[in-house]
Amino acid sequence: MTLPYDAETAAPESGPERSPAGPAGAGSVSGHPPQGTERTTAALSDPENRSAPEETPGHAPGPTEATTPGAAPGTRSGPAPAKPAAGGRRGRRGRKALFLTVALVATLLLLALVSAGTGAYRIPTADVLASAQHRLGLGGAPLDRVGESVLWNVRLPRVVLALLVGASLGCAGALMQGVFGNPLAEPGVIGISAGAAVGAVAAIGLGLSFFGNWTITVCAFVAGLITVSSVYLLSRNGGKTEVVTLILTGIAVNAFAGALIGLFVFFADSGQVNQITFWQLGSLAQATWPKVLAVLPCAVAGLLVAPFYARRLDLLSLGERPARHLGVDVERLRLALILVVALLTAAAVAVAGVITFIGLLVPHLLRMANGPGHRFLVPGSALAGAVVLVAGDLAARTLAQPAELPLGVLTALIGSPFFFWLLRRTRRKQGGWA
């Protein structure tokens, strides 16, 4: 490989410098470097300028310029290569992201309408729309007394709660994978959901009520924050988060959380045991408007804050050292996102119990569809998580009628094979764990 002209002729500091002389390019010894040599040497040693050195009168020819001794510097030996169409790729990716966003929003609206009308008491979609228009003062007509009660007091709170919980878990999964730099990070897999459930179960088992309706949410948030901090500290080794350490830490945290939940079950009465079982299995069967209002501020705050960290997550994916050189305060970024993840996970667990694999499955599907850029991945994961959980809740209510499947069990049955496939794929890429 032929080095640039000035790099070839630049001599060490301790020796004399060679400078081009004459049309043939014969070197002559002088006490000073030729004009442009210092700039070119600095450009070669600076990683930020290496890709695009500044052109000066003394700058050496590029790869397409003549580098033979008889050629004058700056003379090109052939046409310049065509630049890659990076703008075209970005445009195509932007159009694909827009298409996926529109498709997800349309699917979510359609699923919400179908879910609101499907159940033991069936309500046609047209009647659902007419009732909604009547409530909004846009015309339409109300349903009968039973239909209005079922739609507005049973079905719609459940649909809205599924939307909030799914969006929270999907967004939390995308943030965790970006923070840990690991595709296997997910609130349920590494024990954060179980840790938050311990806080909620403790509030139930001990009869705590110091924050009123917010008590379970606050306890779940504190326990989730402690859990995610512990996982983060224990899985770090040499400044990196290893796959094996992350999974083993999650196994240990899940086991410890299960033991604590079992201890609370042992000391609880029959009414508390039923509530604790609800948290372990995960369900939206007890959805009400007060529960929606209890989780709404936490979920909305986390979902609104998360997209503002998208660019810094993209920089962090280059590695910690490049991210620091580009102006990212890595530790502060991690701390802020850990708080956001704990807030989103606690909001979901406080009203729905432990629902796993949403945060693992959804970001991966979106990466396969549109790449790893977080500007679309973070809000897209929230939308896709809402779609998946609304569809999952509809399946849980209808697959085994008149009984109802636990939602957490259903998502685990679907997500576990995907996790196993992802684990094997990661191991093949890394050539094994050893």
Side-chain angles (χ1 to χ4, degrees):
M1 181 178 67
T2 305
L3 294 175
Y5 179 79
D6 287 334
E8 286 184 338
T9 57
E13 283 187 24
S14 58
E17 305 287 342
R18 288 192 178 273
S19 61
S28 63
V29 178
S30 65
H32 301 283
Q35 183 181 5
T37 302
E38 293 180 357
R39 291 191 179 185
T40 307
T41 307
L44 289 171
S45 62
D46 188 356
E48 293 184 3
N49 297 328
R50 190 175 300 172
S51 58
E54 181 184 359
E55 291 190 6
T56 60
H59 176 62
T64 59
E65 298 176 14
T67 55
T68 58
T75 305
R76 296 189 178 273
S77 59
K83 294 183 180 180
R89 285 198 299 270
R90 284 196 296 267
R92 286 194 297 271
R93 185 163 292 176
R95 288 192 295 270
K96 185 184 287 187
L98 179 61
F99 171 76
L100 288 173
T101 302
V102 172
L104 287 172
V105 171
T107 304
L108 182 59
L109 292 175
L110 180 62
L111 279 172
L113 285 174
V114 173
S115 183
T118 303
Y121 187 90
R122 186 165 184 82
I123 304 173
T125 303
D127 292 346
V128 173
L129 290 173
S131 179
Q133 289 175 347
H134 177 72
R135 291 288 181 114
L136 295 174
L138 300 175
L143 303 174
D144 57 78
R145 186 175 59 85
V146 176
E148 284 282 300
S149 178
V150 169
L151 178 61
W152 292 95
N153 297 328
V154 178
R155 299 272 175 80
L156 286 180
R158 188 161 183 162
V159 171
V160 174
L161 201 60
L163 190 152
L164 290 174
V165 170
S168 299
L169 292 177
C171 184
L175 293 178
M176 283 201 65
Q177 291 171 14
V179 168
F180 282 91
N182 196 297
L184 300 178
E186 195 264 345
V189 172
I190 62 176
I192 298 176
S193 295
V198 169
V201 167
I204 295 170
L206 299 176
L208 303 179
S209 59
F210 45 83
F211 284 114
N213 292 334
W214 292 86
T215 303
I216 295 177
T217 304
V218 170
C219 291
F221 171 72
V222 173
L225 182 61
I226 293 172
T227 305
V228 73
S229 302
S230 303
V231 169
Y232 172 70
L233 293 174
L234 293 173
S235 61
R236 298 280 290 174
N237 184 18
K240 296 181 180 179
T241 306
E242 298 178 349
V243 175
V244 177
T245 309
L246 188 71
I247 295 173
L248 293 178
T249 303
I251 292 172
V253 169
N254 276 313
F256 185 68
L260 289 178
I261 291 174
L263 193 62
F264 283 115
V265 169
F266 179 78
F267 289 106
D269 56 33
S270 58
Q272 292 173 339
V273 167
N274 291 334
Q275 287 182 288
I276 291 173
T277 304
F278 160 77
W279 293 112
Q280 288 180 291
L281 297 178
S283 177
L284 298 174
Q286 300 180 13
T288 58
W289 287 118
K291 286 191 175 182
V292 171
L293 294 177
V295 74
L296 186 64
C298 298
V300 170
L303 292 172
L304 290 178
V305 168
F308 290 100
Y309 292 95
R311 181 179 176 276
R312 278 171 278 184
L313 283 173
D314 286 336
L315 296 178
L316 184 61
S317 65
L318 302 174
E320 290 189 16
R321 184 174 295 177
R324 287 193 181 96
H325 287 318
L326 291 170
V328 178
D329 190 336
V330 175
E331 294 306 319
R332 180 178 295 179
L333 174 65
R334 282 205 171 101
L335 180 61
L337 290 180
I338 283 173
L339 289 172
V340 174
V341 168
L343 184 67
L344 291 171
T345 306
V349 171
V351 295
V354 179
I355 298 175
T356 55
F357 292 107
I358 298 293
L360 179 72
L361 184 111
V362 167
H364 276 282
L365 294 178
L366 292 183
R367 282 193 190 94
M368 292 177 186
N370 195 61
H374 287 85
R375 221 164 72 176
F376 167 75
L377 186 63
V378 172
S381 295
L383 275 175
V387 169
V388 169
L389 205 62
V390 171
D393 183 57
L394 178 61
R397 291 194 288 115
T398 57
L399 287 179
Q401 284 183 335
E404 181 176 321
L405 293 174
L407 185 56
V409 174
L410 187 63
T411 57
L413 285 174
I414 297 172
S416 296
F418 180 82
F419 177 73
F420 177 71
W421 169 79
L422 184 62
L423 193 62
R424 289 181 61 84
R425 179 170 173 263
T426 305
R427 185 176 64 179
R428 283 197 307 270
K429 280 189 173 183
Q430 296 186 356
W433 301 127

